Amino acid sequence: MCGIVGYCGQKRAANILLEGLKRLEYRGYDSAGICVGTGTDLKCVKKKGKIRVLKGIVPQDMPGTFGIGHTRWATHGEVNDINAHPHLDDSGKIAIVHNGIIENYLSLKEMLISEGYEFKTETDSEVIAHLLVDRYDGDLEKAVRETVLLLKGTFGIVAVHADEPGKMVGARNGSPLVLGIGDGEMFLASDVTAMMAYTKQVVYIEDGEVVSVDCDGFRTSDLKDREIAKQVDHIGWELEEIEKDGFTHFMEKEIHEQPESISRAIRGRLNLDTATGHLGGLNLSIKELHAIERVKIIAIGTSYYASMLGAYLMETVARIPAMAEVASEVRYKNPIVEMNTLYFVVSQSGETADTLYAMRELQRKGATVLGVCNVVGSTIARESDGGVYIHSGPEIAVASTKAFTSQVTVFYLFTLLMARMRDMSLDRGLEIAKALQNVPDQIRHIFSMGNLIRDLAIKYSWVENFLFLGRGIQYPVALEGALKLKEISYIHAEGFSSAEIKHGPIALINEKTPSVFLVPDDALRDKVISNLKEVKARGGKVIALMV
Ligand code: BG6
């Protein structure tokens, strides 16, 4: 959740860092700070709370043309000014910002304390500043390389040294870091949004790489100091796409973008003559697709629920055994890689650590893993063996919305492709293809009922507990609905298969716990309606979404 931005160039660094942090605000944070090099020393300002609070205490004429900034989401140590990043070493010469978690920080801290270093914060990140000064002999890049070799865990780091003005050194392992190449100025950030106002030329830093940057250029190397040639990529998004565009917040904007984002996910991928899906990026021949005997889909959060829905489709429509699994579980369970199994990893950001590490573990064991990602050039997109971009455009709100419907759309296309290669008739294929094309208009129709939905939300705004109930294809949708309500409204909500409520959850039903029922237009309709009646019979209020 934390954000990093670094700058070196000719402009006033403080302004650019604050602006970059503002762009990273969407990721959530509880404190923020910047550290700017003046040419002789480093000036650091950090504060609990919002960036506007930080902005208020940063001197307007703060000198310095290079520096680093950070938005912190507390993991180690409480939310306060001291624990906020950047962290300085005792001498105040070195400053660092860090995203991720240093798993061996306690043993490193003990070692550093025994050597006489004093710790000011409760964070895991502070060890990095002390290790750097311990290793520093006039070469920051070398010190970063030596420090990184001692760290276990995940990190994206950027460091500056007062005695090396105009220089920043970054390194990564598991937390994203991207270099931006401007005109006489350079950026390092955890996310391209922090630099998009200045440049669209970027270089993605990989795990195990160190990047040393000044305003004339950059050098990337591995941990053995072997130089690595990097490709410069161009960001395909426009700045306007990461602005709110008249909406109150990004989530509202992104919900309203769905007709267009779904159209983009479908564009060029639906062949109405043959009633099939066309997904060029899979990198699999028809023969290889035929050889697939089962599919496993790995993801977390909203992407996991989209994966459950995808697995349901593949199994019921294309008749391929398929299941979805939570990446954080797959990663640590020594997963079995089965022959003739196709693996998908699904991630909007393409950077989620559990999903990425699960993918690497499966690949290490010989699996073919395809990515379903939104962010072009993200780590999962780059390292997967092929895949499909969902083309949703930037999803700034941390809680996923439009990515979910586009991920599901891509799974419909894949299912159609597989089903039409097997035994689905042309007529049935056409029915599905046309239904898919109609989805954007159907969503527009739902937006036309905005007032009705708002009235319902107001009517139930006093409620503290909600149930979301669905069956079949709508079971994962119910789970996603409950997740969204929890994460956004801080209202307790649980999702269940409506068939399962009689096995326990029914005990929760009362007039203060409404149930949102998803009622399908298929063979399960009557069964869901009968579950709904059971709830009503116990005095439970019901909001039914009828298809
Ligand atoms: C969580 C978000 O932190 O990450 C979810 O709150 C999101 O909304 C999940 O679905 C997974 O992210 P990604 O980028 O891997 O799809």
Side-chain angles (χ1 to χ4, degrees), residues 107-152:
S107 58
L108 291 170
K109 191 169 175 175
E110 273 170 28
M111 178 191 85
L112 288 159
I113 289 172
S114 73
E115 290 172 12
Y117 290 96
E118 279 181 27
F119 279 75
K120 294 183 208 67
T121 79
E122 301 158 300
T123 67
D124 54 332
S125 312
E126 192 184 347
V127 293
I128 303 169
H130 296 300
L131 285 172
L132 277 175
V133 84
D134 198 63
R135 299 302 190 265
Y136 187 75
D137 63 3
D139 182 348
L140 183 61
E141 184 185 332
K142 180 165 160 280
V144 167
R145 187 171 291 108
E146 288 178 13
T147 297
V148 158
L149 284 168
L150 300 171
L151 304 178
K152 292 204 175 86

Side-chain angles (χ1 to χ4, degrees), residues 271-325:
N271 186 329
L272 286 181
D273 293 333
T274 51
T276 189
H278 171 74
L279 297 166
L282 297 181
N283 292 343
L284 293 170
S285 66
I286 299 269
K287 262 194 178 164
E288 287 168 320
L289 287 172
H290 262 297
I292 294 168
E293 287 172 7
R294 71 192 76 73
V295 175
K296 286 203 170 162
I297 317 176
I298 321 285
I300 62 157
T302 293
S303 295
Y304 169 65
Y305 295 139
S307 303
M308 274 179 81
L309 204 153
Y312 185 89
L313 279 176
M314 287 176 212
E315 209 160 287
T316 54
V317 180
R319 311 301 298 156
I320 305 166
M323 66 179 288
E325 276 192 272

Side-chain angles (χ1 to χ4, degrees), residues 1 27 298-305 346-356 372-375 380 395 397-401 403-404 407 480 483-484 487-488:
M1 291 274 199
R27 300 199 59 81
I298 321 285
I300 62 157
T302 293
S303 295
Y304 169 65
Y305 295 139
V346 183
S347 173
Q348 184 284 127
S349 61
E351 300 291 352
T352 299
D354 282 327
T355 312
L356 173 63
V372 176
C373 295
N374 187 33
V375 178
I380 292 176
E395 192 175 65
V398 171
S400 202
T401 53
F404 176 82
Q407 288 162 344
E480 170 60 11
L483 174 68
K484 216 86 298 170
E487 195 174 1
I488 301 307

Side-chain angles (χ1 to χ4, degrees), residues 52 64 86 114 121 148 157 178 187 204 252 384 391 406 411 430 448 456 484 520:
R52 65 180 141 72
S114 73
T121 79
V148 158
I157 301 165
V178 58
F187 303 81
Y204 294 100
E252 186 189 13
S384 52
H391 295 312
S406 292
F411 280 129
L430 269 178
S448 72
L456 261 180
K484 216 86 298 170

